[in-house]
Amino acid sequence: MTDSQSLRSRVCSIAARECKRMAANPMYALCMVVFPIAVMIFFTSLMREGQPEDMPVGVVDLDNTSFTRKLTQQLDAFQTTAITGHYRNFEEARLAMQHGDIYAFILYPKGTTDALLSSRQPSISFYYSYTSLTAGSLLFRDLKTISTLGSAAVGSATLKAKGLTSEQISTFLQPIRIDLHTIANPWVNYNVYLSTMLIPGCLLLFVFLITAYSLGTELKMSTAKELMAMAGDNPFVAIGSKLLPHFIINLAVFYTYLLYIYNVQAFPHDGGMGSILLLGFLSVTASMGFAIFLFGLFPSLRMSMSICSLWGVLSFSMVGTAFPTFAMDAPLQVLAQLFPLRHYFRLYQTCVFNGNPLADDMANIIALCAFALLPLAVMPLIRRTFSKFVYIP
């Protein structure tokens, strides 16, 4: 038997052995297939409307005129706002917001309409909760818009009574007209913003954990020496062959996610299929490589899984969607580069979402390749561990 045939035989034997282990342990099917698919469906279904709709808002109308009632009707007509309560005074509305019955309320003081008609600039108050950042931002936008529309309506009527034309009135009320362009996501769809970070973050977290779990169980079950014997005492053959079925399944699941959001959910992807496939391949290999590296440094089932879990959870904060990385302190900006999810997201933003050429984001491609090659640095440690380690419960 030639060396190549011997190597092929070893690889096939170890891969078949791993497939049997995976089939016998339901943890693999749950963490590699069931939970990832559930995460995809959950997050994309949760935000399928793109933005929150009909969030509860209250009204305190102390003026109670046709003008304030019309403003309330216009506010209720907004997509994200639903008037669910009318309150007699500020205290009732405040208590309702504190109890979580409403997210915001608007207060029209007594004499609002008279002050507007007499150009005495009344004060309309609105209160909103920023406990939820998205809800607070959207409701602030609606409340500010309705107050602006109210003053504009009165101003337009006054100017029209003075004989000004519609064009003159428009120029007076809005001297500068804004020409707004929302690039790549003109719908301001929060599903596009959040699912493209949350879902990959969860998928790569599963990759971290199941990779460390698979290597750690070899030690726990005292089968590591058997694995090394099957690999001819070659750690590259042992680890590569063992994790080959993992890589195929992880890559298939990640590609399923990418095809699902871009073909079924129709998320914008100006970069084309080539960039999408490369992104999935680099992300899976980088995550598995980083998990192997951590296991090599901490060759224990419990410790390696704990560190992988910690690193995966921290990725959600360091990726730069909720809070921009460039606005973080300098040490945190450096630390962010040690998370594969950060480089995934940068590559997604640049080459898939915005459609720029891959050459524009070569730094993050190189970083993901470096994560994939990290196991080379710890293979001697893994070989020594698998050959000599004795598991102590």
Side-chain angles (χ1 to χ4, degrees), residues 208-221:
F208 279 162
L209 293 175
I210 207 65
T211 301
Y213 175 80
S214 177
L215 296 174
T217 51
E218 293 285 355
L219 299 178
K220 183 176 181 179
M221 305 302 293

Side-chain angles (χ1 to χ4, degrees), residues 18-323:
E18 184 64 19
C19 289
K20 292 178 181 178
R21 291 168 64 95
M22 293 168 66
N25 189 343
M27 183 67 68
Y28 289 100
L30 289 174
C31 291
M32 298 178 75
V33 179
V34 177
F35 290 159
I37 292 177
V39 166
M40 295 181 213
I41 297 173
F42 172 75
F43 280 113
T44 52
S45 301
L46 180 67
M47 297 177 286
R48 65 183 179 273
E49 302 298 335
Q51 289 188 2
E53 294 185 354
D54 295 333
M55 290 183 287
V57 174
V59 175
V60 180
D61 192 352
L62 302 180
D63 198 35
N64 196 26
T65 62
S66 59
F67 176 74
T68 56
R69 288 193 294 271
K70 183 178 180 181
L71 287 181
T72 301
Q73 291 174 354
Q74 290 176 338
L75 179 61
D76 191 34
F78 289 159
Q79 183 179 6
T80 54
T81 302
I83 302 299
T84 59
H86 292 263
Y87 303 96
R88 292 175 297 178
N89 52 52
F90 170 83
E91 286 300 321
E92 285 188 4
R94 180 182 62 82
L95 289 174
M97 191 163 70
Q98 289 178 338
H99 292 161
D101 299 330
I102 55 176
Y103 281 115
F105 66 90
I106 188 168
L107 188 152
Y108 304 112
K110 189 172 182 61
T112 297
T113 304
D114 291 340
L116 269 174
L117 295 177
S118 59
S119 302
R120 286 188 278 116
Q121 196 177 20
S123 175
I124 296 177
S125 304
F126 44 86
Y127 302 82
Y128 56 97
S129 172
Y130 244 127
T131 304
S132 170
L133 184 63
T134 300
S137 300
L138 293 175
L139 290 177
F140 169 74
R141 181 197 63 187
D142 287 357
L143 293 168
K144 185 176 181 180
T145 299
I146 203 65
S147 62
T148 303
L149 288 176
S151 60
V154 174
S156 177
T158 303
L159 294 173
K160 189 173 183 180
K162 294 181 179 180
L164 274 68
T165 64
S166 298
E167 184 176 351
Q168 289 173 322
I169 293 172
S170 178
T171 302
F172 181 82
L173 293 177
Q174 190 179 19
I176 299 175
R177 186 172 63 182
I178 299 173
D179 186 16
L180 180 64
H181 299 274
T182 307
I183 304 299
N185 186 9
W187 318 277
V188 194
N189 189 328
Y190 281 83
N191 201 5
V192 173
Y193 285 134
L194 296 179
S195 291
T196 50
M197 181 275 291
L198 291 174
I199 297 176
C202 293
L203 298 185
L204 298 184
L205 175 60
F206 287 132
V207 172
F208 279 162
L209 293 175
I210 207 65
T211 301
Y213 175 80
S214 177
L215 296 174
T217 51
E218 293 285 355
L219 299 178
K220 183 176 181 179
M221 305 302 293
S222 300
T223 56
K225 294 179 181 179
E226 172 195 327
L227 174 63
M228 291 301 294
M230 293 180 67
D233 202 34
N234 187 328
F236 294 94
V237 175
I239 301 302
S241 304
K242 175 180 174 60
L243 294 181
L244 179 60
H246 292 250
F247 172 74
I248 294 173
I249 295 174
N250 289 333
L251 188 62
V253 170
F254 206 88
Y255 278 162
T256 299
Y257 152 72
L258 293 174
L259 295 175
Y260 172 67
I261 63 170
Y262 294 127
N263 290 351
V264 179
Q265 295 290 326
F267 283 16
H269 55 287
D270 294 339
M273 190 56 63
S275 297
I276 293 173
L277 295 177
L278 178 64
L279 178 64
F281 177 81
L282 290 177
S283 300
V284 172
T285 52
S287 298
M288 292 188 68
F290 192 64
I292 297 170
F293 174 74
L294 291 178
F295 176 80
L297 294 179
F298 307 96
S300 163
L301 174 63
R302 183 182 303 171
M303 182 62 71
S304 60
M305 288 192 67
S306 297
I307 295 175
C308 285
S309 177
L310 174 64
W311 214 256
V313 171
L314 286 177
S315 299
F316 292 101
S317 299
M318 305 306 294
V319 69
T321 52
F323 189 83

